[in-house]
Amino acid sequence: MAHTSAHEFLRIVLDANSNISWDTPPEYGNISEDYAASLARARDRSGVDEAVITGEGTIGGRPVAYVVSEFAFLGGSIGAATATRIIEGIHRATERRLPLIISPSSGGTRMQEGTKAFTLMISITTAVYRHKDEKLPFLVYLRNPTTGGVMASWGSSGHITFAEPHALLGFLGPRVVELVTGTPMPEGVQTGENLARVGVIDGVVPVDQLNETVAQLIDILTPSSTDANRREDPVIYDGSRLTPKDAWEAIVTTRDPARPTVNDLLTMLPRNTIMLSGSGDGRRSDAVKVALTQISGRPVMLIGQDRSVSEHLGTNALRMARRGIGLSKALNLPLVSIIDTDGAEMTRAAEEKGMAGSIARTLGELVDADVPTVSVILGQGCGGGALAMLPSDRVLCAENAWLSPLPPEGASAILYRDTDHAAEMMEYHGVKATDLLAEGIIDGIIPEFPDAKDEPADFLARVLSAIEATLQSLHTAPDRVGREQRFAHYERLACN
């Protein structure tokens, strides 16, 4: 596969006539004549003076900083001068509070400089994390090829990571793998397409579409006027205006396949919503959706359980949810959690992958998040899978939605050794929305007229309106937001 040069990349990705270079001549100190000659040949061959170039430009009219590798310069390898340029570029982007796009194309460490050059990957990574500490977006676009220490450090540190089509990507290049292990890497494993499929990166984007993709990302992260985009006045009930119904009626209602799901909710969000494909570390599941989006002009991270898929909520799904929680903290975005699950996976594989621990970690990271959080019980709220994504500054619940420690039939089986008492058990447990509100478990009820499946668009519009109103109330009352408020609330709940 051909290599996209650094200058060609910038010509395609940046807005026309917006590129401003930050580079100064590299300094190498006392090096051998052979190395100096190699550098001279690399400059002539590549048209650049080092293996990376840095600077700023605009994408969709918005300013961005860049660090872009040039593979034609000694295979894009990283030496001391290269690392210095990268670090200075990242620091400058941080000082100017610019979103940063890094596009590596490199085989890793420069062999002419040995172990010191290898350890400079740590130095580059520290600069990356200083940038991320400022809650500034960090986007990685992996070009062909990216392997070795670059892939194993700053090339895998992005908030969001995309790849060039058919790019060779991996921990070590296939030739090294075969020579070291004696076994060739199976064809197709070290490609962007495969890494996106298994949840290591977020997608494959052609270079000529990257301008639009990055512009969408920056637009999502840039608040627009919430007044202009706000939906009609939200409808959130306190329970007094609702027609009483029994718990089993609500449960049967939420089990209807025609009831709206998180997928239906996603269709009502802006077109520039960016869906994440996996956990970032090789795990993915269709049972959870993770989306970087806006609600009424407000940037949010949304994590949602999707009961419409055949796959049960497993450890991979919860790992994806935790990635969404982590990104909300990293980018200082409000977090919206949508709960709708018939329960976590109950299999040998789930046990051996640590299902209980995965629920605990997800619950812990959510309750500990120092960003505004809103959870919505959209339908079924069954067991530990629901509990994992419940704790928030404010919890809303659809009128027919419910929350139970076990599947109804399971609760009946424990006490009665049959499933015939499921309805009775659910009424006793107080699982329906009005009971949850009376106990202080939720903060408001989103009505259904009379059932979400009969008015899906109107119902989902009310859900989004209720989320927006709740986020606005949290924004204007920051003392009600964050881990300390959440800790105190759930501690008080135990004392009621």
Side-chain angles (χ1 to χ4, degrees):
M1 176 181 169
H3 306 292
T4 303
S5 73
H7 286 308
E8 180 71 0
F9 174 84
L10 294 173
R11 184 190 67 78
I12 296 171
V13 174
L14 297 181
D15 295 341
N17 302 314
S18 70
N19 187 12
I20 301 172
S21 174
W22 289 348
D23 295 335
T24 57
E27 297 181 3
Y28 297 100
N30 186 21
I31 60 175
S32 70
E33 291 183 4
D34 286 346
Y35 186 19
S38 295
L39 292 170
R41 288 192 297 271
R43 287 191 292 271
D44 292 339
R45 183 184 307 114
S46 65
V48 297
D49 64 352
E50 245 301 335
V52 298
I53 57 178
T54 68
E56 65 178 296
T58 62
I59 292 179
R62 300 191 183 278
V64 298
Y66 65 79
V67 176
V68 179
S69 292
E70 176 51 75
F71 190 78
F73 192 103
L74 297 180
S77 58
I78 308 302
T82 333
T84 298
R85 178 172 287 181
I86 294 170
I87 292 166
E88 289 176 349
I90 296 171
H91 284 170
R92 190 166 178 176
T94 307
E95 290 163 4
R96 301 190 61 173
R97 303 200 60 78
L98 294 175
L100 179 60
I101 301 171
I102 282 186
S103 182
S105 176
S106 172
T109 301
R110 190 165 295 172
M111 292 296 101
Q112 294 89 336
E113 297 190 29
T115 298
K116 180 181 179 181
F118 172 61
T119 60
L120 291 174
M121 302 302 176
I122 303 172
S123 305
I124 296 169
T125 300
T126 61
V128 168
Y129 275 82
R130 288 191 185 278
H131 187 80
K132 295 168 92 171
D133 284 347
E134 296 300 315
K135 313 296 185 183
L136 296 168
F138 177 69
L139 172 68
V140 172
Y141 185 74
L142 301 167
R143 296 182 2 262
N144 179 61
T146 303
T147 61
V150 170
M151 186 68 175
S153 56
W154 49 284
S156 295
S157 297
H159 290 127
I160 307 290
T161 303
F162 296 120
E164 184 178 27
H166 312 299
L168 169 64
L169 309 172
F171 172 49
L172 290 175
R175 181 172 58 185
V176 176
V177 170
E178 185 171 2
L179 287 173
V180 171
T181 67
T183 303
M185 181 68 68
E187 189 173 347
V189 170
Q190 294 180 308
T191 64
E193 287 78 4
N194 186 54
L195 297 187
R197 183 185 64 81
V198 299
V200 173
I201 66 174
D202 294 303
V204 174
V205 179
V207 176
D208 59 6
Q209 295 178 19
L210 192 60
N211 178 286
E212 179 182 355
T213 301
V214 175
Q216 288 179 351
L217 175 62
I218 296 173
D219 283 346
I220 291 171
L221 297 174
T222 305
S224 57
S225 171
T226 53
D227 289 332
N229 295 293
R230 185 165 293 135
R231 304 166 194 274
E232 62 184 24
D233 291 340
V235 180
I236 306 176
Y237 285 174
D238 62 5
S240 62
R241 299 169 59 186
L242 298 174
T243 302
K245 61 180 67 177
D246 62 44
W248 191 247
E249 181 184 356
I251 290 168
V252 171
T253 297
T254 61
R255 286 176 167 178
D256 192 317
R259 184 177 177 84
T261 68
V262 70
N263 269 336
D264 299 304
L265 188 70
L266 288 167
T267 66
M268 301 185 68
L269 295 175
R271 289 180 59 192
N272 61 354
T273 293
I274 292 179
M275 304 297 301
L276 306 188
S277 71
S279 64
D281 59 1
R283 285 169 280 188
R284 69 171 312 281
S285 168
D286 290 328
V288 161
K289 302 296 187 288
V290 183
L292 188 59
T293 187
Q294 286 193 351
I295 296 179
S296 294
R298 188 187 305 278
V300 301
M301 180 64 66
L302 185 145
I303 57 175
Q305 297 169 341
D306 186 2
R307 65 173 174 79
S308 70
V309 302
S310 58
E311 181 181 353
H312 276 88
L313 190 76
T315 56
N316 287 355
L318 291 174
R319 181 65 189 85
M320 285 182 62
R322 292 199 297 277
R323 184 183 177 208
I325 296 168
L327 273 178
S328 74
K329 295 189 287 187
L331 294 170
N332 199 30
L333 297 176
L335 178 68
V336 176
S337 175
I338 306 295
I339 297 154
D340 192 5
T341 177
D342 60 0
E345 181 182 344
M346 293 181 286
T347 64
R348 172 181 174 175
E351 292 293 342
E352 292 178 347
K353 290 181 179 178
M355 172 57 78
S358 189
I359 290 171
R361 285 188 291 277
T362 308
L363 190 157
E365 289 188 24
L366 186 52
V367 79
D368 190 54
D370 253 333
V371 294
T373 56
V374 177
S375 292
V376 180
I377 309 175
L378 193 67
Q380 300 180 55
C382 189
L387 191 71
M389 289 172 56
L390 180 72
S392 294
D393 297 315
R394 293 291 181 274
V395 181
L396 306 175
C397 185
E399 182 179 353
N400 286 311
W402 51 280
L403 182 68
S404 169
L406 281 173
E409 294 79 6
S412 175
I414 287 176
L415 281 188
Y416 297 99
R417 297 183 183 275
D418 62 37
T419 61
D420 300 336
H421 296 78
E424 176 186 334
M425 290 292 298
M426 292 301 96
E427 200 66 50
Y428 173 75
H429 281 171
V431 304
K432 60 183 185 286
T434 49
D435 296 330
L436 301 176
L437 186 65
E439 292 292 344
I441 296 169
I442 66 172
D443 299 287
I445 298 173
I446 303 168
E448 303 179 34
F449 299 119
D451 181 346
K453 74 176 175 61
D454 298 322
E455 40 131 26
D458 290 343
F459 168 69
L460 292 174
R462 282 196 297 279
V463 171
L464 291 173
S465 180
I467 293 170
E468 162 56 22
T470 305
L471 287 173
Q472 179 62 22
S473 71
L474 295 174
H475 177 72
T476 56
D479 58 314
R480 305 293 299 274
V481 173
R483 67 194 303 271
E484 290 306 321
Q485 182 279 136
R486 233 169 280 134
F487 285 9
H489 168 73
Y490 286 105
E491 287 167 352
R492 286 194 302 271
L493 192 64
C495 300
N496 289 343

